[in-house]
Structures are given as structure tokens and as C-alpha cells.
Amino acid sequence: MENLLEVRNLTKNFKENKVLKGISFEVHRGEVLCILGPNGAGKSTTINILTAALGSDSGEIKFKGKQIGRKLRAYKQCMGIVPQDIALYEELSAEQNLKFFASLYGLYGAALNKAVNEALVFAGLDDRQKDKVKTFSGGMKRRLNIACAIAHHPELVIMDEPTVGIDPQSRNHILDSIKKLRDGGMTVIYTTHYMEEVEAISSRIIIMDHGTIIAEGTKETLKEDIENEKHYTIEVEENGRIKDSDFYAVEGVKSVKSDGGTIEITSLKGVENLDRIITVVSNCGDKIKNITSEAASLEMVFLKLTGRKLRD
Ligand SMILES: Nc1ncnc2c1ncn2[C@@H]1O[C@H](COP(=O)(O)OP(=O)(O)O)[C@@H](O)[C@H]1O
Ligand SMILES: [Mg+2]
């Protein structure tokens, strides 16, 4: 496996706030590396340092084995960037935006026109190419922003939360287009706090929290530890009489977390104990409003690692 990027011991402080506490990872050629973490984890700071928009306090980044400091221009030339905040010219058309961004990477003439047309089709905006960006929906702008980052056929595309706040249709379009990029051999770094996206597109996953990498692997390897578990979420009409310890008395129950009217229980997979769990609730005179049972998910991995939900 060839390492396109090697990142070693990156640190970044904003005043007293230690935002990156020495993170290290590799990016393999041809993979979709998802960086998953809640808001404030340090994803954008990592991305901004990787794209050389921001300096780190310490640490090292190598691109194809060479420090990027010395080869910054060549490095940037090989890269496409989709920043967290949309960067487009509202008064220009989709086509004009694409031409502008692709020309920054040295494309011109027939090659530029070809790249722009391909990128418009890729974004599903070929029928709107002459329209000004200010007439576009949020999802269309997002798709165009991605098209601007890939028109020059970079080796590495870096996307920072490209689906936040857009309609489901555009979101699916974006996820599908990332799969297409991957199938075409492009390397993608993709940050998100949506675990469903990670499930859909990742070759490999880094989970970040509070400026550190707390887990790394494929979705399969990350879930290995919890494959033997099931997860119940029980919503009750809160009466304050249920104690967590009552659930621990039930065979198979491994962890209990209650928060107001919601009780989260992790239990061993092979043990049929739902009826006994329900009995605990009813013995306390409480009413169950809803019970759901979940298969192993990245959300559960995160919960197990941090004790919190990804979207808390
Ligand atoms: N320019 C900045 N100045 C001061 N603090 C910042 C700046 N950028 C980010 N931070 C802080 O760094 C932490 C991580 O932010 P960020 O990298 O944006 O996280 P994420 O992208 O995972 O949500 C947050 O606590 C945020 O407030
Ligand atoms: Mg961010």
C-alpha cells in the first residue's frame, strides 16, 4: 500500500486551547479516508493544515515521501480542496466558476473546456451551466464546489463536511460522486460527523475527539469489538424510580446509561433478556413509550470509546 501522505505528531494550539494534540496518520493512495468526529474535534484544523492553509505548531507532513514544506507548489497542484464553507463567485455562472478554478491549476484552451464540461456533468449541473450561482440551492452550490475541486483531475481531494445542511438528494449525489472518484483511482480525505456517510463511502476511518485520534480502522475492524453486543434504547415516562443497578442484575447487561426519559443498555448478543429488562421498568411502575434495538454501528463504537453520542 503506497502512502500518499504521512502525517506525524501534528499539534496546534489556539491560545490555551490545545486543538490538535499530536496526531499521526497515513493516507493510502486510492482510498477514501473518512475522518469522523463531533463538532470541535479538530477535523477542520487538521484539514486546514493538510491543505497548507494553516500552519501547525509542530509535526511533519510528507507527500509521496517528501516534506511538503519544500515542495509546497507541487503538492498544492496535485490537490483539490472542498472547504467547509462554500467558496464560489455568486455573480458568475457555474461554468465561469469552474473555468476560473480550473485555470488556477494551469488548464487552458481545449483542455480547460473539456475539463469544465466533464465537471459540470459530474456535478449534475450541465443543464444549469449558464446560470448564476446565486440562483442555486445550497445543495447545487455544494455540488459545484466539489466540481471546482476536481475539474483539474487532482490526485488527492480533500473535502471538509461537504454535506452539512443540504437536501437529501444532493447529499446522495455527492456520496455517489465520491464513490465514482474512488473507482476512478482518486484518493479522497473526507471529514464528517455523520456516521451513515462513513458507512457508505469509507475505505478506512479515523475517529477523532478532542484533538486526538481515538480509533482507526475499516468499518468492519472498528465494529469487531462490538459485534457481540446489542444495544437497546428504551424511552420511558420518567418517574425517577428506576436505578441503573436494577438493570445490571439482569443477565447479559454490560452497560447502562440513563439520561432523563431515555435508557441506553448494551447487552451480550446471545442472551435473550429483553423481557427481563422490560420487567425491571414495569416493576418500578414506569411506562415504556418505545424500545428500539440496534445492530452494531459506528455510533455505538463512538459511544463505547467516549461515553458520548456523536451528535451530543
Ligand atoms: N481560528 C481559530 N481560532 C481559535 N479557535 C479555533 C479556530 N479554529 C478552530 N478553533 C477551535 O478549535 C477546536 C476545533 O475546531 P475545528 O477544527 O473546527 O473542529 P471540527 O472541524 O472537528 O468541528 C474548536 O474548539 C474550535 O473552537
Ligand atoms: Mg469543521
Side-chain angles (χ1 to χ4, degrees), residues 219-285:
K219 54 182 184 241
E220 291 80 15
T221 60
L222 284 171
K223 283 192 233 167
E224 256 165 26
D225 278 355
I226 57 167
E227 283 298 345
N228 297 326
E229 295 173 356
K230 58 190 166 182
H231 192 86
Y232 301 119
T233 303
I234 307 173
E235 287 170 54
V236 296
E237 271 172 16
E238 205 180 348
N239 68 8
R241 280 198 292 265
I242 305 182
K243 293 193 298 292
D244 288 359
S245 55
D246 295 340
F247 293 108
Y248 282 111
V250 176
E251 189 196 347
V253 170
K254 289 176 69 181
S255 78
V256 182
K257 191 177 168 240
S258 46
D259 177 15
T262 307
I263 305 162
E264 311 263 0
I265 296 179
T266 305
S267 176
L268 281 175
K269 211 177 199 171
V271 186
E272 296 303 329
N273 54 9
L274 185 58
D275 50 348
R276 292 190 56 201
I277 288 171
I278 293 170
T279 305
V280 169
V281 179
S282 51
N283 281 352
C284 293

Side-chain angles (χ1 to χ4, degrees), residues 135-163:
T135 67
F136 286 8
S137 70
M140 290 164 72
K141 287 181 191 174
R142 273 284 169 206
R143 275 148 52 194
L144 179 59
N145 216 26
I146 293 174
C148 288
I150 58 106
H152 63 291
H153 296 286
E155 286 182 74
L156 172 66
V157 187
I158 301 182
M159 302 189 193
D160 196 6
E161 305 234 30
T163 60

Side-chain angles (χ1 to χ4, degrees), residues 39-40 42-45 84 160-161 191:
N39 283 332
K43 302 183 298 295
S44 291
T45 303
Q84 183 164 338
D160 196 6
E161 305 234 30
T191 79

